[in-house]
Each structure stands twice: as structure tokens, then as C-alpha cells.
């Protein structure tokens, strides 16, 4: 049996960056579940379905969605870049609120997480996808720090964005993710809260590795 690490938290709290770096350092598998909800959102936009209508998402069960080493593939097509577009950010919380969409993706995620040492990041990992995880971390950071990080992500990928708009989008998404009926963003009772507002990426990784080692030594 491998070690199962669940990392949950609000938008731009650093889950994906930290999980990817940790996975590389430890040689573990990483599954970024947010990228799967983003991929479904992208395809729904391309198909021009009525995004508000849950019954139009029946296409999801026929999609072949794979996440591996930082790339997300849908039916063999690499959509890693497109899923970070603002239009996807704006719609992903709506798409991920539908129980039927979540059911399909959670089944996929549980299966992907069932082999060896794995880090899974998202919103409902400690509560729904891997309630049996060996270690659960709930990563948070102040809204201003999260805004700064997401703003820099956009700037570094060559996009022109307004800082206030980035902040507003994060807050809207947090609110939707935390208040939805189905699997809302919530800290599992047994998750460890880690505030990264004043921590660098390296410091965060160090803190998590220490928690993993403590857990293994128990
Ligand atoms: O990277 P960022 O925190 O901005 O978002 P993400 O992890 O890529 O997730 C994008 C969106 O997918 C979230 O805002 C949620 O609406 C949804 N999501 C979810 O509902 N459940 C998950 N396990 C992961 C993401």
C-alpha cells in the first residue's frame, strides 16, 4: 500500500504548484483534480451547450480524461494551456457544481488514486475522493496573497489582466465552491490547516515533507 496525501484548499492557494513539486521531489504520482473540472468546462464551452443545464453534460461519461505529469489530455488532445484561460476560470465553478459531472470525475479520480504513493489535490479530496488518505492538508493563504500569485501566473504566461478583477474572480469562485450543495469546499475534520501566506514554495514543501515523515514514523 502506498502513502496517500490529500491536499485541498481555496482558489490559488498553491495546491497544484506545491503538489507538482512535491510529487517530483518524492517520485510520487500527482493528480490535479481541478484540471479535470477545467477540461470538462473547456469541452462544454467548445460544444456550446447551455452551461446552466445539467442534462446537457451527458457527453462527460464518454470523454477519455487523463492527467499525467502536469499535462491534461482529453481524448488524446493536450488541453493543458487552454484550461487556464479566463473564460474557463469564470465557468468552472458552475460546471463543477453539477452532481452528475462530479460523479463521473470522482469515479475517475478514485481509480487514478488507487495505485502506489500519490498526491491528489482539489476541493473535496479529504472529504469525498480519498477520505481514507494517510495525511490531509488544507492549504490556505490570505486573499491578497492568492491574488498576487494568480496575477503573476497570468503575467508570466503573457496575459494582460487587471489585479482587482483577478481578486474579484477568486472571491466569486471561493464563494461558489464553498456554498454549493454537492461536496462543497470544506476542511475535513482530520485535515491539518497550513497557512502559506508567509511561506515560500520551498518552505511549504519542507513543512509538508516533515508532516509526511511524522505520519510515517507514527
Ligand atoms: O488552481 P485553482 O485553485 O484556481 O483551481 P483548480 O484547483 O484548478 O480548480 C478549478 C475549479 O474546479 C474550482 O474552482 C472548483 O470549482 C472545481 N473543483 C472542484 O469542484 N473539485 C475539485 N476536487 C477540484 C476542483
Amino acid at each position: 500500500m502506498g502513502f496517500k496525501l490529500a491536499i485541498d484548499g481555496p482558489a490559488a492557494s498553491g495546491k497544484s504548484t506545491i503538489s507538482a513539486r512535491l510529487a517530483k521531489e518524492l517520485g510520487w504520482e500527482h493528480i490535479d483534480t481541478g484540471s479535470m473540472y477545467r477540461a470538462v468546462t473547456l469541452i462544454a464551452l467548445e460544444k456550446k451547450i447551455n452551461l446552466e443545464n445539467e442534462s446537457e453534460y451527458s457527453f462527460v461519461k464518454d470523454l477519455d480524461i487523463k492527467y499525467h505529469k502536469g499535462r491534461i489530455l482529453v481524448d488524446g488532445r493536450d488541453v493543458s494551456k487552454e484550461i487556464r484561460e479566463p473564460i474557463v476560470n469564470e465557468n468552472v465553478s458552475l460546471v463543477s457544481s453539477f452532481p452528475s459531472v462530479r460523479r463521473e470525475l470522482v469515479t475517475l479520480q478514485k481509480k487514478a488514486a488507487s495505485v502506489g504513493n500519490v498526491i491528489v489535490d482539489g476541493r473535496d479530496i479529504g472529504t469525498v475522493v480519498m477520505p481514507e488518505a494517510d495525511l490531509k492538508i488544507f492549504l490556505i493563504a490570505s486573499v491578497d496573497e492568492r491574488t498576487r500569485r494568480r496575477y503573476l501566473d497570468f503575467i508570466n504566461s503573457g496575459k494582460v489582466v487587471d489585479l482587482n478583477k483577478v481578486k474579484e474572480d477568486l472571491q466569486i469562485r471561493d464563494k461558489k465552491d464553498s456554498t454549493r450543495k454537492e461536496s462543497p469546499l470544506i476542511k475535513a475534520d482530520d485535515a491539518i490547516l497550513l497557512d502559506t501566506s508567509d511561506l515560500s514554495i520551498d518552505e511549504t514543501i519542507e513543512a509538508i515533507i516533515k508532516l509526511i515523515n511524522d505520519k510515517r514514523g507514527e
Side-chain angles (χ1 to χ4, degrees):
M1 275 294 278
F3 192 100
K4 303 207 176 309
L5 171 60
I7 302 190
D8 289 298
S13 56
K15 300 176 303 290
S16 304
T17 309
I18 297 294
S19 305
R21 284 273 300 269
L22 261 176
K24 208 168 162 203
E25 259 181 53
L26 299 170
W28 293 9
E29 252 333 291
H30 167 217
I31 303 160
D32 174 348
T33 61
S35 71
M36 296 179 177
Y37 289 97
R38 288 171 176 274
V40 168
T41 306
L42 177 75
I43 304 299
L45 286 162
E46 287 178 352
K47 285 187 180 292
K48 298 196 187 333
I49 64 161
N50 172 3
L51 293 182
E52 309 269 345
N53 186 354
E54 183 170 7
S55 69
E56 295 193 32
Y57 289 85
S58 53
F59 68 90
V60 177
K61 65 177 182 323
D62 300 318
L63 294 177
D64 175 25
I65 303 176
K66 286 201 179 77
Y67 180 86
H68 189 61
K69 293 209 185 319
R71 316 301 303 177
I72 177 100
L73 302 180
V74 180
D75 294 334
R77 171 182 156 214
D78 188 336
V79 295
S80 312
K81 236 184 151 156
E82 287 107 309
I83 61 162
R84 303 287 156 198
E85 292 292 332
I87 181 83
V88 175
N89 286 336
E90 281 157 28
N91 290 291
V92 65
S93 290
L94 169 67
V95 174
S96 71
S97 69
F98 295 122
S100 57
V101 171
R102 301 201 70 82
R103 213 172 307 125
E104 290 297 332
L105 292 189
V106 167
T107 305
L108 206 74
Q109 292 158 6
K110 280 184 186 248
K111 206 166 149 213
S114 66
V115 281
N117 296 318
V118 71
I119 303 169
V120 186
D121 81 88
R123 301 287 188 291
D124 59 343
I125 311 306
T127 50
V128 177
V129 178
M130 284 199 315
E132 77 288 9
D134 297 287
L135 177 64
K136 301 177 184 177
I137 292 176
F138 198 78
L139 218 55
I140 57 162
S142 69
V143 71
D144 285 332
E145 176 57 20
R146 293 188 287 122
T147 302
R148 194 186 68 85
R149 291 175 188 170
R150 189 46 48 93
Y151 179 74
L152 288 178
D153 286 346
F154 281 126
I155 298 293
N156 290 335
S157 63
K159 290 197 189 79
V160 183
V161 283
D162 176 68
L163 190 73
N164 287 325
K165 173 87 170 59
V166 173
K167 183 171 178 175
E168 200 183 290
D169 286 352
L170 285 186
Q171 287 174 312
I172 293 173
R173 200 140 59 84
D174 283 349
K175 179 138 194 267
K176 280 189 195 156
D177 290 344
S178 314
T179 55
R180 70 178 175 224
K181 270 213 197 97
E182 181 87 6
S183 317
L185 167 68
I186 187 172
K187 179 184 159 301
D189 288 340
D190 52 350
I192 294 172
L193 190 73
L194 186 60
D195 187 339
T196 70
S197 303
D198 299 317
L199 295 184
S200 66
I201 293 177
D202 285 343
E203 287 168 334
T204 309
I205 292 196
E206 210 177 294
I208 297 178
I209 289 184
K210 187 169 179 311
L211 290 169
I212 294 173
N213 289 336
D214 287 351
K215 212 50 195 190
R216 282 182 144 170
E218 267 174 18

